[in-house]
Amino acid sequence: MCSIRWPSTPAVAERDAVLSTLGVPAGKDPISTYSRGVAHIVGAMQRHRVRRLAVVSSSGVDPHPYSDGGFLFNRVLLPYVTRVLGKTLYEDMRRMETLVRASDLDWTIVRPGGLYHLPSVTDYTVVEGHADGRFTARVDLAASMLALLDEDRHLRTTVSVITTVENPTLLRWIRREALAKS
């Protein structure tokens, strides 16, 4: 179990917004980092009258088949990752999303695809709901979250962020991202 520091009064007080990028690895043990963390964040924001919140969730919370996914990815790998391997992770992300939606804050839930490294920001895409793209560069996720603060277009909505160029192949992504953590 990892130790988590929840936002203290100084971390939230007198701020314009809070960006939550909480994350833990998937596992079979129960996970509550996302829901407990956002409960503390929402409470601190309400106490200090901070309105704007953006939280990172995952496209795996509400998985859809991908047009380029093929049978193996859409019917085998995606269900295995979201219903078996990452079951407790995605269950907690769903609890987090429920808490965020129930709040009176000006929130946006951001659902990236599989995260990977790129050296600089690309022409990423942000859409309300589900985006048909399997991968999101971490720099694009960060840039999109900061951009959300400059506009009110996606208040109280769930958006997907996808990187549209320089995406890895599924095998390369698994090798570099998923297997590197074990």
Side-chain angles (χ1 to χ4, degrees):
M1 191 84 181
C2 65
S3 173
I4 300 169
R5 272 192 73 186
W6 303 114
S8 63
T9 297
V12 175
E14 299 180 32
R15 303 296 184 238
D16 295 325
V18 174
L19 303 176
S20 173
T21 60
L22 293 171
V24 295
K28 295 208 183 235
D29 293 333
I31 293 173
S32 62
T33 303
Y34 299 94
S35 57
R36 285 181 54 221
V38 90
H40 287 281
I41 290 167
V42 167
M45 291 178 70
Q46 289 170 334
R47 276 192 304 281
H48 295 285
R49 296 187 176 121
V50 177
R51 300 281 317 145
R52 190 68 174 101
L53 172 66
V55 298
V56 174
S57 185
S58 171
S59 61
V61 167
D62 185 23
H64 290 80
Y66 293 93
S67 61
D68 68 343
F71 179 82
L72 183 63
F73 182 83
N74 287 331
R75 302 289 182 161
V76 178
L77 187 59
L78 185 60
Y80 177 73
V81 168
T82 59
R83 295 182 197 152
V84 178
L85 188 62
K87 182 177 190 249
T88 61
L89 177 94
Y90 295 117
E91 286 172 348
D92 194 41
M93 283 184 178
R94 284 184 199 94
R95 287 190 297 271
M96 173 191 71
E97 288 190 10
T98 298
L99 289 168
V100 169
R101 284 187 189 99
S103 77
D104 62 347
L105 301 173
D106 295 331
W107 52 265
T108 304
I109 296 169
V110 182
R111 290 182 176 166
L115 297 174
Y116 70 103
H117 175 74
L118 279 180
S120 58
V121 177
T122 72
D123 282 335
Y124 59 86
T125 298
V126 176
V127 299
E128 284 193 28
H130 173 73
D132 191 24
R134 293 183 281 168
F135 301 107
T136 306
R138 288 176 181 90
V139 294
D140 290 344
L141 174 59
S144 69
M145 290 186 74
L146 291 172
L148 287 170
L149 301 180
D150 289 336
E151 58 184 43
D152 292 340
R153 192 172 80 193
H154 297 295
L155 291 181
R156 303 187 67 78
T157 62
T158 300
V159 298
S160 294
V161 178
I162 58 168
T163 299
T164 55
V165 297
E166 299 183 52
N167 281 305
T169 64
L170 181 59
L171 185 57
R172 181 178 295 146
W173 182 83
I174 291 170
R175 222 176 329 156
R176 286 190 182 159
E177 301 296 330
L179 296 179
K181 295 174 185 168
S182 28

